[in-house]
Amino acid sequence: MKSNVLGYPRIGEKRELKKANEAFWAGNSTEEELLAVAEKIRVHNWQLQKDAGVDFIPSNDFSFYDQMLDFSFVVGAIPERFAPIKHLRNLDRYFALARGYQKDGIDITAMEMTKWFDTNYHYIVPEFTKNQTFSILVNKPLQEYNLAKQHGFDTKPVLIGLVTYLLLGKEKEEGFNRLDLAERLLPVYIQLVQSLVDAGAKTIQIDEPYLVLDLPAGAAEVYRKVYGELKKQFTNTEFILTTYFGALDNNTELALSLPFDVFHIDLVRATAQLDNVLKALPANKKLSLGVVNGRNIWKNNFEHSLALIEKAKEAIGADRLLIATSCSLLHSPCNLELENNEKVLTPEIKQWLAFAKQKVKEVTTLQALATGKVTPEVKAIFEENKKAAENRKTSTLIHDNKVKERVNNITAKDDVRHSPFSQRKVAQHKSLNLPLFPTTTIGSFPQTDEVRSWRARFKKGDLTQAEYDKLLEKEIEESIRFQEDTQIDVLVHGEFERNDMVEYFGELLKGYTFTKFGWVQSYGSRCVKPPIIFGDISRPEPMTVRWSQYAQSLTKLPVKGMLTGPVTILQWSFVRDDQPRSQTCLQIALAIRDEVVDLEKAGIKVIQIDEPAIREGLPLRQNEWKAYFDWAIKAFRISASGVQDETQIHTHMCYSEFNDMIEAIADMDADVITIECSRSQMELLDVFGDFKYPNEIGPGVYDIHSPRVPSQQEMTDLMKKAISVVPKEQLWVNPDCGLKTRHWPETKAALHAMVDTAKELRNLYK
Ligand code: GLN
Ligand code: ZN
């Protein structure tokens, strides 16, 4: 029974890669310096896995930016628009693909980026054309394998599967299907594998996570053909087919019929598939059991994992099993040992956690336990593991019966407003007395260096609470005056007190904890440090009322209260695994509901509950969407339904795909929804029109992702388009998203023009 790690985080324990990349991009360091940092990280990772006793240590799991981009670069799938920079050195060219290129009169847009399955990692989308050709540009997998070898590590090269690679890409012109490119890519793929085999690789991991999705027509055939050909060429090499993030389900038969020697399945996300796979596994094949969660921070429950391993052992025998991480550890933070500040992370909670380094050890400990090689060290770890699991089950830190009871007592009337929208609308219009085409913003105003420095000084203890609060009040007052002067109709306080829209609430809710070094790569050099939900969530006291109330006290115009919604708070945190996500989400929903009610009591008439992450929580398989919507939409509705009819509830989302979820959006029953719209030129509004979406909508007319100031004409044209799709009485005028990342001068100019657009429209459509 071998141990198998699918991939290791590459950012470095202290984000060394981020820092080295950014220094290189800024021209503050040389290529040699960057390469040296990158090499050090890899060697460190390999050594740590070797020390832990891992049998299959991955190589080529490292990347300077993204592993999908790497593969495009390796096989020469470089979009034509990058031709003008052909002469650049490889590394510069590579980064240009990811980040775009703007220099010496050349202006090339970056390749598109999108989310990696249902994780918070983003990959660079391969771009294909009809006449796409492939050839090896740089043999990175071989370089990485050789680097490991040179340092004395015998590794298992990791390659993205050919079919997943193609399927995750995009056709940039019409008239072909990217799956048709398999034929052209295969010889290059074989060449890559050949080079690895020649260099001494005995086992190669091929990642085909697409096999846990609904496959498009024709894909099964391509799978069979491609891997049939590959295996024919390399009869002596051991190939591992890895799938993760879900169950093979209806693709089980297909996957297991492919000529691989080992099949890896994710038993964390899809425990139930084990029985099926054991039954269907061909007699001479091995199975890699992904039992250590690569996507969360909880210590493995050894007793649970051993039960699964035992079951597999009984069915097919220990010799045919591998013990593995569920997926690459890319999605976990690096090393729990660094968390030595007991004020940030208490020892009681820390004993429940495992980061990547600890997870590697869990894999080999499980291997030892399952094979009876129980040394005193292994025994001690097992005992500690059981103790931690027991402690976590019963800890008073986690369990709050009052919260559990409240969730249990949720009734059908808790997720509906008192009256239907048609009635609420009348009450709200009477109370708010807004003009046609009311204007508002999405919440945040520029977080200037100054504002950030106050927070840093306050956290360091250089500013007292009172001093810090005063500075924020001054900033809020300025923003209110600016909005009044600009004649915006519904104002915001500006969110200056928030570092991040989830972390801010996490810090004020009970049941949350934080780390100092729990960084996870989000894309390129960008890392996030998700807060950790470890226990039942409750709200000890109001979280935002003070700021909203203060802002409202400065003006007669309505100030909008600003909250992050339960699904987004859930989605952008590490979530406890000892109860269903739906349960945790309902707990958060109740906490937000209390905040909404308190805001109303404090005289706030408009309250926005942001849910930008609702879409990314969608399950990978379409047949699971309904179950997700059932609890996610319910959670939102619970958070929004504690108020009177007169109180206007807004929500906000920033992405541009509503077509397949418009019913769920309508079901949220927010009085007003503001959405990102300007980049799609209002196209995404069509679905609201077709659906006859009944509530009010603010389609964003100002793209806040760029410093560019849109003209009044442009915004008026966009609104005219909107008016042709949605009745004018339902429309608001607002930017695409919050203005936190913008600077004041462009913000002011753009919002002035935006208000002028609303005025122009009021005249035109009186
Ligand atoms: N209210 C938040 C802001 O304005 C919304 C951010 C978001 O949608 N991501 O910053
Ligand atoms: Zn947004």
Short mmCIF file of all heavy atoms in Angstrom, two decimals, residues 442 501 572 608 610-612 652-655 674-676 704-705 735-738, ligand 2:
data_model
loop_
_atom_site.label_atom_id
_atom_site.label_comp_id
_atom_site.label_asym_id
_atom_site.label_seq_id
_atom_site.Cartn_x
_atom_site.Cartn_y
_atom_site.Cartn_z
N ILE A 442 -22.54 50.88 -5.00
CA ILE A 442 -22.62 49.49 -4.51
C ILE A 442 -22.09 49.34 -3.09
O ILE A 442 -22.20 48.29 -2.48
CB ILE A 442 -21.92 48.54 -5.50
CG1 ILE A 442 -22.47 48.76 -6.92
CG2 ILE A 442 -22.11 47.09 -5.13
CD1 ILE A 442 -23.97 48.61 -7.06
N MET A 501 -14.77 42.19 2.76
CA MET A 501 -16.21 42.07 3.02
C MET A 501 -16.60 40.80 3.77
O MET A 501 -17.73 40.71 4.26
CB MET A 501 -17.01 42.23 1.73
CG MET A 501 -16.78 41.16 0.70
SD MET A 501 -17.60 41.57 -0.86
CE MET A 501 -19.32 41.26 -0.44
N TRP A 572 -16.59 32.14 1.04
CA TRP A 572 -15.24 32.69 1.09
C TRP A 572 -14.52 32.41 2.42
O TRP A 572 -13.57 33.09 2.78
CB TRP A 572 -15.27 34.19 0.75
CG TRP A 572 -15.61 34.43 -0.70
CD1 TRP A 572 -15.65 33.47 -1.69
CD2 TRP A 572 -15.96 35.66 -1.35
NE1 TRP A 572 -16.01 34.04 -2.88
CE2 TRP A 572 -16.21 35.38 -2.71
CE3 TRP A 572 -16.09 36.98 -0.90
CZ2 TRP A 572 -16.57 36.36 -3.63
CZ3 TRP A 572 -16.45 37.96 -1.82
CH2 TRP A 572 -16.69 37.65 -3.17
N GLN A 608 -28.64 46.72 1.96
CA GLN A 608 -28.13 45.86 0.88
C GLN A 608 -27.43 44.65 1.47
O GLN A 608 -26.58 44.77 2.35
CB GLN A 608 -27.18 46.66 0.00
CG GLN A 608 -26.55 45.84 -1.12
CD GLN A 608 -25.82 46.74 -2.09
OE1 GLN A 608 -26.35 47.77 -2.54
NE2 GLN A 608 -24.59 46.39 -2.41
N ASP A 610 -25.10 41.84 0.15
CA ASP A 610 -24.32 41.42 -1.03
C ASP A 610 -24.22 39.91 -1.13
O ASP A 610 -23.90 39.23 -0.16
CB ASP A 610 -22.88 41.97 -0.92
CG ASP A 610 -22.83 43.48 -1.10
OD1 ASP A 610 -23.63 44.00 -1.89
OD2 ASP A 610 -21.99 44.12 -0.44
N GLU A 611 -24.45 39.38 -2.31
CA GLU A 611 -24.25 37.94 -2.53
C GLU A 611 -23.46 37.65 -3.81
O GLU A 611 -23.90 36.91 -4.68
CB GLU A 611 -25.61 37.21 -2.56
CG GLU A 611 -26.24 36.94 -1.20
CD GLU A 611 -25.50 35.94 -0.31
OE1 GLU A 611 -24.31 35.66 -0.55
OE2 GLU A 611 -26.14 35.43 0.63
N PRO A 612 -22.26 38.24 -3.94
CA PRO A 612 -21.51 38.01 -5.18
C PRO A 612 -21.06 36.57 -5.35
O PRO A 612 -20.65 36.19 -6.44
CB PRO A 612 -20.30 38.94 -5.03
CG PRO A 612 -20.15 39.16 -3.57
CD PRO A 612 -21.54 39.13 -3.02
N HIS A 652 -26.67 42.45 -4.30
CA HIS A 652 -25.74 42.79 -5.37
C HIS A 652 -24.96 41.55 -5.79
O HIS A 652 -24.57 40.73 -4.96
CB HIS A 652 -24.77 43.88 -4.91
CG HIS A 652 -23.57 44.00 -5.79
ND1 HIS A 652 -23.65 44.55 -7.06
CD2 HIS A 652 -22.29 43.60 -5.64
CE1 HIS A 652 -22.45 44.51 -7.61
NE2 HIS A 652 -21.62 43.93 -6.78
N MET A 653 -24.77 41.42 -7.09
CA MET A 653 -23.98 40.31 -7.62
C MET A 653 -23.08 40.83 -8.72
O MET A 653 -23.50 41.65 -9.51
CB MET A 653 -24.90 39.26 -8.22
CG MET A 653 -25.65 38.54 -7.15
SD MET A 653 -26.87 37.47 -7.84
CE MET A 653 -27.82 37.24 -6.35
N CYS A 654 -21.84 40.31 -8.77
CA CYS A 654 -20.99 40.83 -9.83
C CYS A 654 -20.44 39.74 -10.72
O CYS A 654 -19.31 39.34 -10.59
CB CYS A 654 -19.87 41.70 -9.27
SG CYS A 654 -19.21 41.19 -7.70
N TYR A 655 -21.24 39.25 -11.59
CA TYR A 655 -20.78 38.39 -12.67
C TYR A 655 -21.86 38.48 -13.72
O TYR A 655 -22.89 39.12 -13.53
CB TYR A 655 -20.62 36.94 -12.21
CG TYR A 655 -21.67 36.46 -11.27
CD1 TYR A 655 -22.92 36.08 -11.73
CD2 TYR A 655 -21.44 36.42 -9.90
CE1 TYR A 655 -23.90 35.66 -10.86
CE2 TYR A 655 -22.41 36.01 -9.03
CZ TYR A 655 -23.64 35.62 -9.51
OH TYR A 655 -24.60 35.22 -8.64
N THR A 674 -28.69 44.82 -7.86
CA THR A 674 -27.74 45.52 -8.74
C THR A 674 -26.77 44.48 -9.26
O THR A 674 -26.30 43.61 -8.52
CB THR A 674 -26.98 46.62 -7.98
OG1 THR A 674 -26.32 46.05 -6.85
CG2 THR A 674 -27.92 47.71 -7.51
N ILE A 675 -26.48 44.58 -10.56
CA ILE A 675 -25.64 43.56 -11.19
C ILE A 675 -24.59 44.18 -12.08
O ILE A 675 -24.71 45.32 -12.52
CB ILE A 675 -26.50 42.59 -12.05
CG1 ILE A 675 -27.34 43.38 -13.06
CG2 ILE A 675 -27.38 41.72 -11.17
CD1 ILE A 675 -28.17 42.51 -13.97
N GLU A 676 -23.55 43.39 -12.34
CA GLU A 676 -22.52 43.82 -13.28
C GLU A 676 -23.10 43.72 -14.68
O GLU A 676 -23.73 42.75 -15.03
CB GLU A 676 -21.32 42.89 -13.16
CG GLU A 676 -20.16 43.31 -14.01
CD GLU A 676 -19.46 42.15 -14.65
OE1 GLU A 676 -18.94 41.29 -13.93
OE2 GLU A 676 -19.46 42.09 -15.89
N ILE A 704 -16.17 49.41 -13.01
CA ILE A 704 -15.26 49.90 -11.96
C ILE A 704 -13.92 49.16 -11.96
O ILE A 704 -13.07 49.43 -11.14
CB ILE A 704 -15.91 49.78 -10.57
CG1 ILE A 704 -16.27 48.33 -10.25
CG2 ILE A 704 -17.14 50.65 -10.46
CD1 ILE A 704 -15.18 47.53 -9.63
N HIS A 705 -13.75 48.18 -12.88
CA HIS A 705 -12.49 47.42 -12.89
C HIS A 705 -11.38 48.16 -13.61
O HIS A 705 -10.27 47.64 -13.73
CB HIS A 705 -12.72 46.06 -13.53
CG HIS A 705 -13.69 45.23 -12.73
ND1 HIS A 705 -15.03 45.21 -13.01
CD2 HIS A 705 -13.51 44.44 -11.65
CE1 HIS A 705 -15.64 44.43 -12.14
NE2 HIS A 705 -14.74 43.96 -11.30
N PRO A 735 -23.09 51.96 -10.50
CA PRO A 735 -21.90 51.30 -11.04
C PRO A 735 -22.04 49.77 -10.97
O PRO A 735 -22.97 49.26 -10.37
CB PRO A 735 -20.77 51.77 -10.13
CG PRO A 735 -21.34 52.86 -9.28
CD PRO A 735 -22.82 52.67 -9.24
N ASP A 736 -21.06 49.09 -11.56
CA ASP A 736 -21.03 47.62 -11.61
C ASP A 736 -20.78 46.97 -10.26
O ASP A 736 -21.21 45.85 -10.00
CB ASP A 736 -19.84 47.19 -12.48
CG ASP A 736 -20.29 46.91 -13.89
OD1 ASP A 736 -21.49 46.79 -14.10
OD2 ASP A 736 -19.41 46.80 -14.76
N CYS A 737 -19.99 47.62 -9.44
CA CYS A 737 -19.54 46.99 -8.19
C CYS A 737 -19.01 48.09 -7.29
O CYS A 737 -19.13 49.29 -7.61
CB CYS A 737 -18.46 45.96 -8.51
SG CYS A 737 -18.06 44.87 -7.11
N GLY A 738 -18.44 47.70 -6.16
CA GLY A 738 -17.91 48.66 -5.20
C GLY A 738 -16.70 49.41 -5.76
O GLY A 738 -16.02 48.93 -6.67
ZN ZN B 2 -19.65 43.37 -6.97
#
